[in-house]
Amino acid sequence: MLNAMIVDDEAPARSELRYLLEETKRVDSIVEAASAREAVERLMEKRADVLFLDISMPKTSGMQLAEALRKLKNPPAVVFVTAYSEYALEAFGVDAVDYLMKPVETDRLMQALDKVQARLKPTRQSNPTAERIPVEKSGRKVLVPVDQIRYIEAKDDYSCIYTDTDRYLSTISLAKLEAKLTPHHFFRVHRGYIVNLSYVEDVETISSGILQLGINGVDGKKISVSRRRVVALKRALGL
């Protein structure tokens, strides 16, 4: 199943494509953005496997956004969805997977999804070894697999990395860890915390609407969620 994002400045066009994608039963989640800037903000909150991207948008065009995304280490696949055929050659110049004309037909959408999944397979198979983070422990370097990390806490110029059994010190800043770990289902809930969403056990609302997270395998620890991150977190958790 794919995580998709629809980027189009016209709400009816986004709604129509969302409906078609949901009907395919091949997409796990769909995020919408009305501009290139909003798309970038959404991508910082949650990684997308594929962007269904309009070309003609105010300020930053879809073509400019696609060109910028190519510079990422693991960019999402791009499928252009547009009413204009004259950009097709330029689209494949920015490594687009497919080019759909509006109104989108279901058969063509299914073909585009086939191409997206074919594009993603080599990336997923080429990295069988789990990502690991270098940390300090008793004067020596240790490599901690990211799937063992429950949460990370900022400590002055360092970061404390917690597993279910131990705590490690890292000289990597929280901001750099956030960029590295976001594709692995981690989420920065507060200026001082990053959590592994896979280990979020419970979400509790306390006074004034503040959320606290319970982390599986870490008894008694509650992590507060910044107010400005609440909506994005709920979306990431499917709440």
Side-chain angles (χ1 to χ4, degrees), residues 3-5 7 39 43 46-53 65-66 68-79 94-97 116 119-120 123:
N3 294 321
M5 179 183 294
V7 187
L43 286 171
K46 181 179 180 179
R47 173 177 168 75
D49 296 312
V50 55
L51 264 62
F52 290 90
L53 183 57
L65 175 59
L69 292 176
R70 290 181 69 196
K71 299 175 183 178
L72 297 177
K73 184 178 180 181
N74 293 306
V78 170
V79 174
V94 294
D95 205 25
V97 173
V116 169
R119 169 73 65 87
L120 294 176
T123 301

Side-chain angles (χ1 to χ4, degrees), residues 132-233:
R132 298 185 293 178
I133 303 295
V135 298
E136 298 282 347
K137 184 67 176 178
S138 302
R140 60 192 177 93
K141 288 285 187 181
V142 178
L143 296 174
V144 179
V146 298
D147 59 3
Q148 293 182 12
I149 298 172
R150 261 55 176 180
Y151 70 95
I152 306 171
E153 182 180 7
K155 288 288 188 181
D156 299 322
D157 295 329
Y158 301 92
S159 301
C160 284
I161 297 178
Y162 294 83
T163 66
D164 61 336
T165 59
D166 218 331
R167 182 184 73 167
Y168 303 93
L169 190 66
S170 173
T171 56
I172 304 175
S173 69
L174 211 64
K176 289 183 178 179
L177 285 171
E178 178 185 11
K180 189 179 185 70
L181 293 173
T182 295
H184 298 277
H185 208 45
F186 282 72
F187 190 93
R188 190 164 185 172
V189 298
H190 187 277
R191 62 186 296 180
Y193 287 96
I194 297 172
V195 301
N196 187 338
L197 297 181
S198 299
Y199 291 110
V200 173
E201 190 171 46
D202 60 79
V203 181
E204 180 183 3
T205 303
I206 58 177
S207 60
S208 303
I210 295 175
L211 295 186
Q212 284 190 336
L213 305 179
I215 307 298
N216 182 278
V218 185
D219 292 337
K221 179 66 178 179
K222 294 291 184 179
I223 297 177
S224 296
V225 180
S226 168
R227 290 183 185 278
R228 69 184 184 87
R229 305 295 287 159
V230 167
V231 174
L233 175 67

